[in-house]
Amino acid sequence: VTPSNQQHFHGESADVPVSGTIKDPDGIESVSVRLNGQPPIPAKVSKDGTWSLVLPSVPPGIHELEVQATDRVDDQTSALASF
């Protein structure tokens, strides 16, 4: 997942690109991203398992990012990072 855990950004609010790769033998149905516990934002997922989105207008400070993936048989997994 990028940005990497504990990565720092300085200055004004900025759009932050977020991306990663997910693999599952059943195939990936969806990936969503939550910033600071807000409602999830769906990511674009490619057939090769790469996904991406841009978080708009992220203010300066420490943020928690949760990425949740759901496979085609409805199993879910998640990862957390702070930046």
Side-chain angles (χ1 to χ4, degrees):
V1 175
T2 58
S4 60
N5 204 23
Q6 302 299 321
Q7 185 173 353
H8 296 276
F9 295 88
H10 301 280
E12 301 296 319
S13 293
D15 294 346
V16 176
V18 180
S19 63
T21 302
I22 184 85
K23 301 279 185 193
D24 188 283
D26 296 314
I28 301 301
E29 183 67 30
S30 65
V31 173
S32 62
V33 176
R34 289 182 188 264
L35 181 64
N36 301 324
Q38 296 295 316
I41 302 168
K44 295 179 188 176
V45 183
S46 300
K47 290 181 182 182
D48 67 358
T50 58
W51 58 268
S52 64
L53 65 84
V54 175
L55 297 170
S57 302
V58 176
I62 298 171
H63 301 282
E64 183 175 276
L65 186 73
E66 178 183 12
V67 178
Q68 185 173 50
T70 303
D71 69 11
R72 292 206 168 112
V73 294
D74 212 28
D75 292 328
Q76 296 180 338
T77 189
S78 61
L80 296 173
S82 296
F83 68 95

